[in-house]
Amino acid sequence: MGRKIAGTVYIKADSEQMTVTGGVEYVTSDPQRDPIEQGGGDYTEIDVNPYISFTATNDPDLDENKLRTADDLAITAELANGKTFVLTGAYWSGEKVSSSTDGTTAYTFHGVKGVLL
């Protein structure tokens, strides 16, 4: 029997509901592990900066000023597979890139802690 592993994603930035138009990319706070030597069992751990990146519609009711100026947001992404990614201590990073052709804005939020529940 098939399992649902992809589909509609629901994202909230604090209380602001966002309508996602494409895929969502995220990185958790789990450290990155790299082998010290090929074929060996030893490795190093490097801290990573968790983030979430997605494209959403340009909702006229969305408080973009709040999103742009806040530096302690909680971003929640409810994934189609039943899991939830939560990014805390988040802030909007990078340029605001919007498209008038399809009425969307690309968002990237970096944060302090990112977990997949």
Side-chain angles (χ1 to χ4, degrees):
M1 175 177 263
R3 297 175 295 160
K4 184 175 184 178
I5 59 171
T8 304
V9 177
Y10 300 96
I11 292 194
K12 278 191 178 180
D14 278 350
S15 61
E16 299 287 334
Q17 180 72 45
M18 305 172 89
T19 304
V20 177
T21 60
V24 173
E25 179 181 282
Y26 59 87
V27 172
T28 65
S29 298
D30 299 328
Q32 174 183 325
R33 291 183 176 177
D34 292 317
I36 291 176
E37 191 176 307
Q38 293 292 13
D42 298 331
Y43 59 87
T44 62
E45 284 190 344
I46 301 169
D47 290 333
V48 297
N49 186 1
Y51 72 88
I52 187 166
S53 185
F54 57 91
T55 300
T57 59
N58 291 334
D59 183 342
D61 295 328
L62 184 67
D63 187 352
E64 281 196 348
N65 186 51
K66 173 187 173 184
L67 297 180
R68 176 53 80 189
T69 59
D71 59 5
D72 193 23
L73 294 167
I75 310 295
T76 305
E78 297 176 18
L79 308 174
N81 64 5
K83 295 184 179 184
T84 301
F85 175 74
V86 180
L87 181 65
T88 55
Y91 56 92
W92 186 353
S93 63
E95 297 177 307
K96 176 184 177 185
V97 179
S98 296
S99 168
S100 63
T101 304
D102 56 5
T104 60
T105 297
Y107 295 91
T108 299
F109 292 91
H110 282 85
V112 175
K113 185 171 184 179
V115 295
L116 187 62
L117 307 172

